[in-house]
Amino acid sequence: MSSDPRIAILKAAGEVFARFGFKKASVEDIAKRAGVGKGSIYLHFESKEALFEAIVRQSHEMSLAELKASVQRATTPEAQVRAYIRCKLEQSVRKPDGERIELATLFELGTQVQHLVPQMQEADAAILARVIEGGAAQGAFSVSDPQLTARGFVELITMLVPRLMTQETSPLTLQSLDAAFEVFIRGLSAPPPHPAPSPP
C-alpha cells in the first residue's frame, strides 16, 4: 500500500466498489484493505458517496491523460481518430485486478455517478472534436460540425461500455467493431451530401 493514506484509501475503495457495488461496499472493508482505521477515511472524505465520487473523478482524469497521450503519438488525423477509438475500447475492457464487473454492479455504480456522466462525456468529446477540427483544417476531413460529430460518437462508445465491461469480448466482436469504426473514419473525409433539389 502507498505511504500516503489518501492514495491508499482511493485505491482500496476502487477495488472494493468494483467487487461489491456501492451499497454492499462498507467503509470498514475499505479501511481494512487500505490498512488504515475507519476514522482515517472520514478525515479525507466526508462520506462514502464523496469517496466514490473522488474515485470516479480521479479515474476519469487518468483516462483523459491516457487518451490525450495516445492521440498525440499519432501523426495523421486518421491515425489520431484510430488511436482515440483504440484507447477508448482498451479502457472499457480494462478491469480492476482483472476481474469482470457484474452487470448489476455496473448499473448500480453508474446510477451513483449519473450526475457526472455528462461532464465526462463532454471532456472525452472535446478531445475527439479537436482531432476532427485539426483534420478539417488540414483538408483531411470534411465535417460541417466537428463538435456534434464528436458528441455523437462518444454517445455510441458509451453505449458499448456496459457490454465490454461485463462480457468476454471475442476476436470476432473486436473485428466487427474495427470494421464499423473504419466506416466512421472514412465518412469523416467524405464530402458533405448535396441538399436535395427543392420540388418545383
Side-chain angles (χ1 to χ4, degrees):
M1 280 290 150
S2 169
S3 58
D4 182 332
R6 192 173 194 280
I7 293 171
I9 290 165
L10 284 167
K11 184 176 187 307
E15 293 165 357
V16 171
F17 284 131
R19 184 167 183 193
F20 298 110
F22 180 79
K23 289 178 185 168
K24 289 184 183 175
S26 71
V27 173
E28 289 84 357
D29 288 339
I30 294 166
K32 185 177 178 183
R33 193 173 194 105
V36 300
K38 182 178 171 182
S40 292
I41 291 182
Y42 292 112
L43 286 174
H44 296 278
F45 304 96
E46 64 183 31
S47 64
K48 188 167 88 166
E49 289 79 7
L51 172 56
F52 186 71
E53 186 167 321
I55 291 165
V56 172
R57 288 186 184 279
Q58 179 191 55
S59 174
H60 188 245
E61 284 169 15
M62 291 167 62
S63 295
L64 278 179
E66 182 183 23
L67 195 55
K68 287 175 185 172
S70 294
V71 167
Q72 287 169 354
R73 282 193 296 269
T75 55
T76 66
E78 292 89 348
Q80 288 178 328
V81 174
R82 286 188 185 94
Y84 181 96
I85 292 168
R86 193 177 316 110
C87 185
K88 286 299 293 176
L89 290 178
E90 287 172 1
Q91 289 175 345
S92 298
V93 298
R94 202 178 294 151
K95 313 298 176 302
D97 293 336
E99 293 180 10
R100 292 230 159 245
I101 296 177
E102 294 295 321
L103 191 58
T105 300
L106 183 64
F107 285 141
E108 186 201 345
L109 297 177
T111 57
Q112 198 59 38
V113 290
Q114 207 163 8
H115 63 288
L116 297 177
V117 171
Q119 298 166 28
M120 294 189 294
Q121 287 182 320
E122 199 65 34
D124 287 354
I127 295 172
L128 183 58
R130 280 194 295 275
V131 170
I132 296 172
E133 286 164 358
Q138 294 175 36
F141 296 151
S142 176
V143 178
S144 59
D145 192 333
Q147 302 225 349
L148 195 63
T149 302
R151 280 196 190 107
F153 188 77
V154 168
E155 286 284 352
L156 290 173
I157 288 276
T158 301
M159 286 190 269
L160 278 172
V161 169
R163 176 171 179 195
L164 294 172
M165 291 189 81
T166 59
Q167 298 176 25
E168 289 297 332
T169 309
S170 72
L172 180 60
T173 298
L174 293 174
Q175 288 171 355
S176 301
L177 289 173
D178 282 342
F181 291 141
E182 197 59 37
V183 172
F184 170 77
I185 294 166
R186 286 203 308 272
L188 292 173
S189 56
H194 295 292
S198 301

